[in-house]
Amino acid sequence: MAVLADAEITQLLREWQAGEPAALDHLFEAVYPRLREIAGALFRNERFENVLQPTSVVNELFLKLVRNHSLRFEDREHFYSLSARIMRRVLMDHARDRKRQKRDGGVRVPLDENLAWINSSDAKLLDLDDALVKLDEVDPVKCRIVELRFFLGFTATETAELLCKSKATIDRELRFVRGWLYDQLHDSAG
Amino acid sequence: MSVDPAAWRELQTLFELIDRTPEREQRQVLDSACADAALRERVLRMVQGANHDHDSSAADMPPSDGVSHGQPLRLGPYQVLHVLGSGGIGTVYLAERLLGGTPHRVAIKVLAPHAAGQHFIERFHREQHILAMLDHPNITRLLDAGLSDGGQPYLVMDFVEGVHLDEYCDRESLSVEARLRLVLKVCEAIAHAHRNLVVHLDLKPSNILVTADGSVKLLDFGTSKLVQPDDSVTTTILATPAYASPEQLRNDPVTTACDIYSLGAILFYLLVGEVEGGRRSAALAIERAFRELQPQPLAAAGVTDAAARNRGTSVSRLQRVLNGDIDTLVAKCLRPQPEDRYASVDALIQDLTRYLEGRPILARRQTLFYLGAKFLRRHRLSAAITSLLLVALIATGLLAGWREQQALVEGRRALTMQSFIYRLFKFANSNTVGKPTFTVTEFLELSLRLLPDYIKDPVDLRRAQLGIAESMYENDAYPQARKAFDTVARTARVAHDVAAEAEADAFAGHIDYANGDPKSGAALTARALELSRASGVPASVRVWSEIYYAYDRDDNGFRSDENLRLLEDAVTEARRGHLSERETADALYNWAQDVELRGDNKTAAAAFNEVLAVYKDDPAALCEQSDIYGELAWVAEMQGDHAGDLRLIQKSYDGYRRCAGPDSRGALTEQVFLAGALVKAGRADEALALMNDALPKWRKLNGTSPDFAQPLNFMVIAELATGHATEAEAHAREMVEVQTGKINPKDRRIGGSHLLWAKALIQQGRYAEALPHARIADDLLANTAFSAGAKELTAEAHQVLLDAEAHVREPR
């Protein structure tokens, strides 16, 4: 994977902020290798219940995208949506690797307790990922809420503020999504 | 899978309907609302799923507590009993070792490999002598370190039975004072560790235990020395976001200042019962760290009834305590930049002790100046302006207190001023106003708005308002300054506050002159002069009234010997009234400028040099120094020293760019003169570039004032020198337009404009059109010419007229 120059990252950020979807994939490439490395270090010893905290992801993104490029931190919504999406991808890729290596054990992912009823074995996690892909097609905003709330650990209030919605709306949306995901996952498991 | 949007909406509507319906009526409601049986089943499943609480699903979870998940039976010589807890970097077990037949209980922390890093054991042995020095009654000892049979690193510590600091405080309903005394004990232990060069880096209430006899014990001290995470793992994950310093969250180098921050966060929590900045996700904690947000005031965290009861007091009483010095003390710990916090835990102990003894703490004043300095750094303001403002405001408070001769009042007043400035800077913080930067002018306007809340004495209030208005004027914000002076003049008149009215009128008049309203300018400065002669008006007000009255008149075509005499008076008055050296120099400066206007360059130059000597000693007078260099450049020019002119004007320009910024009125003024000097030095292209930059800025600054003719003048000169005659013609026309009707129609400056207009036309060969302009120029410029430069212009105008006439009479 090619390493992006700082100038390119800056340019990609601009495009992404201007609503250019392809820029997002390239940005992924810019920050992703290092995050995989962090995840790898954390999960190295499976006897420990290591938790990949969203802090690692956010921290890395701040360093890479905001500070090193002296960007003004203005577009919070984009920034955190990107962080949440990356966090999801790191976790899911890790689960996928492990499944491939047939070491399906009990890696704990830091899903918020509201989603804790999902058995977070790697296989289940990947089902969850598939369900989210579906959700993203039908209702991208709801998918974003899930990512922010469950993968990045935003509180409902923070999610509401970021997306300029009321907390009541977020709560209502989340209830629906929880129900929907439950149905999807139990359906596909059966 | 593609889902029909309508079906998706229906699903959501049904879900929400049924979700609101009591369980036993759900089927009935659903049957009547939806005909599709499969959809009905699905909605019911979803509602059940949403209600599925995690307790009942715990069985689905992978084993998550260490007991059932490979709890070791032995670790080296220790027998493991059970889990005590687990945290970010490992799990803690209770264990015991048989020592001479007596079981000795210890706590063992088994570390995650990523947290321990490599060479863990070696590091422990290397650091052992340091850890041994951590022997302190309030610090749990680190006894041993080792690797388990399975290769997991572990640390062995004293086992302490106790409860977490916050739990203890609430359980015992400790008062604010008792809580602070406990923290003081914690601080002493930390100071001891810092003296031995050990930082903690993960201080939080759950790392501080209070034992049954009420003594505190710090856990995990020394761990930071031993824990060196894998290179690929950020230290961020090792700290607890709510209590970690911003530099830790940013993954920046850590120092003892991290512990001071954490102590501040602990204090905040113990005092208010809420985490500083409110509970927030780790992601937002990091955002805060990167944005370097200033700490939230204690009282703003929202004191609850329960919190007050827990501290044996009422909400209002607790609020009052939190609004006091303790807020400053805690904030000083929580500054985003390490260097702005207490320099050491000892300094924090000192202030905590002072606070507990009811003495004033030391943090307050530093905080105030810190805020000012910080604001300057952030916004790159003219340091002189803002520090003057700060000093003026503080002086107002202190002076008033002195007048009432009550130490108590003085203290309160100083406090009022400080909280005013604190609030001001808080408001001006870019995160509050939601703008990337806050301009000086906006800052000053905000001050004006907030000021009446803080200064109740009307005389003091006007004095402070004048200070701010003058800062606005210094900062080129003429309309805002003018409005503020007007307000002060109005209220002063009603209250018969002659000094304030005189001062306000003098400045307002001076601004009116600059804005091209010499009539109003003359009237206001005359009134100021008259008022300033009343008894009881401070000498400084009299001096400035004289200066503005006389200098502006002389500079605007109302030249008279009385003006020069007044300016001389101002100098004498300043010396006799023992005004500051600086103000005396200001008066001398104005007198010298007037002398210069009259063509006596030698006398003027001597005075300028005298003034320069004073300004050079004053770091805040960089702009004024630059002014003087500009004047000396003019004198050099008048003496035919073009090289000296260019050198001095460059110096003046550079100085102004530094002291006030490249877009300031001062820098732009010198930029224009520099362009003129460059044309003379045969570097017209450079001059044109400078003017192309300066002219639009001037146009924005005062494009309709007759003063705009000055930059236009140099623009035309540069254009003529580079052969841009049509542009020169347009700009010369504009010169005349901005002057017409605003200055005396016989003023020499109008002659100068017509002269340039004529030259621009001549350069295009349009002699007939040039002729009338040449005539006006010759007519007006033939008037009184004081200086050598002016005489040169008179000669040039005449030559141009002769030239034009010759061509018109003998057309080619």
Side-chain angles (χ1 to χ4, degrees), chain B residues 65 255 305 386 650 667 672 721:
Chain B
D65 63 346
T255 62
D305 242 6
T386 309
Q650 183 80 51
V672 163

Side-chain angles (χ1 to χ4, degrees), chain B residues 431-512:
Chain B
N431 296 305
T432 310
V433 292
K435 287 197 290 192
T437 54
F438 205 64
T439 65
V440 187
T441 305
E442 286 169 320
F443 172 73
L444 293 169
E445 283 185 294
L446 184 64
S447 322
L448 268 186
R449 256 205 333 274
L450 296 181
L451 213 49
D453 292 349
Y454 289 86
I455 306 182
K456 297 300 176 198
D457 181 305
V459 176
D460 289 346
L461 178 62
R462 274 193 294 274
R463 207 183 316 167
Q465 284 168 333
L466 279 170
I468 293 172
E470 283 160 31
S471 296
M472 286 173 157
Y473 160 75
E474 290 278 342
N475 194 45
D476 301 340
Y478 286 5
Q480 292 88 341
R482 182 66 179 77
K483 210 173 127 212
F485 283 123
D486 205 42
T487 308
V488 174
R490 228 172 331 108
T491 58
R493 195 169 309 137
V494 175
H496 302 291
D497 181 352
V498 179
E501 194 190 345
E503 192 171 340
D505 281 345
F507 274 91
H510 182 58
I511 290 174
D512 283 353

Side-chain angles (χ1 to χ4, degrees), chain B residues 640-667:
Chain B
D641 176 9
H642 296 314
D645 172 34
L646 186 57
R647 186 177 52 78
L648 284 162
I649 201 78
Q650 183 80 51
K651 202 166 173 174
S652 172
Y653 173 60
D654 292 343
Y656 249 120
R657 282 174 69 95
R658 238 178 316 132
C659 74
D663 291 344
S664 62
R665 199 175 271 262

Side-chain angles (χ1 to χ4, degrees), chain B residues 287-365:
Chain B
E287 178 183 330
R288 254 180 97 81
F290 274 92
R291 301 182 100 171
E292 299 179 11
L293 293 189
Q294 291 300 332
Q296 173 193 31
L298 286 171
V303 173
T304 63
D305 242 6
R309 228 172 317 134
N310 259 332
R311 286 153 187 76
T313 184
S314 67
V315 169
S316 63
R317 233 181 280 159
L318 183 55
Q319 284 276 16
R320 210 158 39 241
V321 171
L322 297 180
N323 267 320
D325 270 359
I326 193 67
D327 183 49
T328 311
L329 185 149
V330 173
K332 176 101 180 154
C333 298
L334 291 172
R335 295 281 170 222
Q337 292 294 344
E339 65 269 20
D340 298 328
R341 294 176 208 145
Y342 281 105
S344 65
V345 181
D346 285 323
L348 169 60
I349 290 173
Q350 193 188 358
D351 253 5
L352 262 177
T353 313
R354 291 177 74 100
Y355 179 79
L356 286 168
E357 290 168 356
R359 290 189 293 152
I361 61 166
L362 302 173
R364 177 62 85 164
R365 253 170 54 177

